[in-house]
Amino acid sequence: MQMVAVLDTTVLFQALRGQGASYYILSLVRQNQIEIILSTAVLFEYQEVLSRPNNLKQFNLKKTQIDSFLAFISYIAKPVVIHFTHKPNLRDETDNKFLELALNGQADYLVTSNINDYKKNADLRPTTLKIVTPAEFLKIWRRKNEN
């Protein structure tokens, strides 16, 4: 059974910069080894953040290339419609959409480099969802799949 994950924008950002665990996670997504889920709100955040001129410069990419990348992400991700919203009162209000997606889509993992943003001052503490860094996620995936 595939692991189902929500990828925070930080993971895609790091993957596009060719960085470590995030880059490897994205390669596993492309190989259909990990299932990712996606909502409209999360896709819009990906687009807004990754298309910023200073980020495009860091990635050495054009906006059309980011658009193609996000079209691919949209194609391979399982869409999730948010039927009910949680108000977890996370420290960074923009992170709520990722937690809402993970809970509505019954994800196993929410993968983020900003793990503290999800664990501090949250009114809602999910019990089945694991919030992990890209490196932690990769270790878990390897334990389950490379033995």
Side-chain angles (χ1 to χ4, degrees):
M1 189 165 106
Q2 270 187 334
M3 296 165 62
V4 178
V6 170
L7 303 180
D8 185 286
T9 308
T10 59
V11 177
L12 293 185
F13 183 90
Q14 292 167 342
L16 286 170
R17 292 183 67 200
Q19 293 180 317
S22 295
Y23 183 80
Y24 193 75
I25 289 168
L26 194 58
S27 73
L28 292 172
V29 169
R30 283 192 302 259
Q31 297 168 32
N32 201 30
Q33 298 291 311
I34 299 167
E35 180 178 18
I36 59 171
I37 58 176
L38 186 63
S39 69
T40 302
V42 167
L43 178 62
F44 284 153
E45 170 155 324
Y46 288 166
Q47 185 174 38
E48 191 276 320
V49 172
L50 300 177
S51 297
R52 291 176 185 160
N54 59 326
N55 291 342
L56 291 172
K57 195 175 201 176
Q58 283 189 56
F59 306 143
N60 196 27
L61 295 173
K62 294 180 167 83
K63 184 174 181 322
T64 56
Q65 292 171 299
I66 293 294
D67 292 343
S68 294
F69 170 73
L70 292 176
F72 174 73
I73 293 293
S74 297
Y75 177 75
I76 62 170
K78 177 183 171 191
V80 174
V81 177
I82 306 299
H83 293 290
F84 60 95
T85 57
H86 300 275
K87 292 299 176 202
N89 194 28
L90 296 174
R91 182 169 55 182
D92 181 350
E93 205 42 49
T94 63
D95 290 333
N96 287 341
K97 68 179 78 58
F98 293 97
L99 190 53
E100 289 172 351
L101 171 59
L103 295 172
N104 276 267
Q106 299 177 330
D108 302 308
Y109 299 90
L110 193 160
V111 185
T112 180
S113 293
N114 297 325
I115 201 161
N116 288 334
D117 288 352
Y118 289 92
K119 293 192 173 185
K120 289 185 180 173
N121 302 325
D123 293 336
L124 177 67
R125 300 206 189 280
T127 56
T128 58
L129 175 68
K130 294 167 192 72
I131 301 171
V132 296
T133 65
E136 290 169 329
F137 180 81
L138 201 49
K139 285 179 190 172
I140 295 165
W141 186 87
R142 284 183 169 145
R143 269 198 310 266
K144 290 183 177 186
N145 294 281
E146 293 184 348
N147 292 330

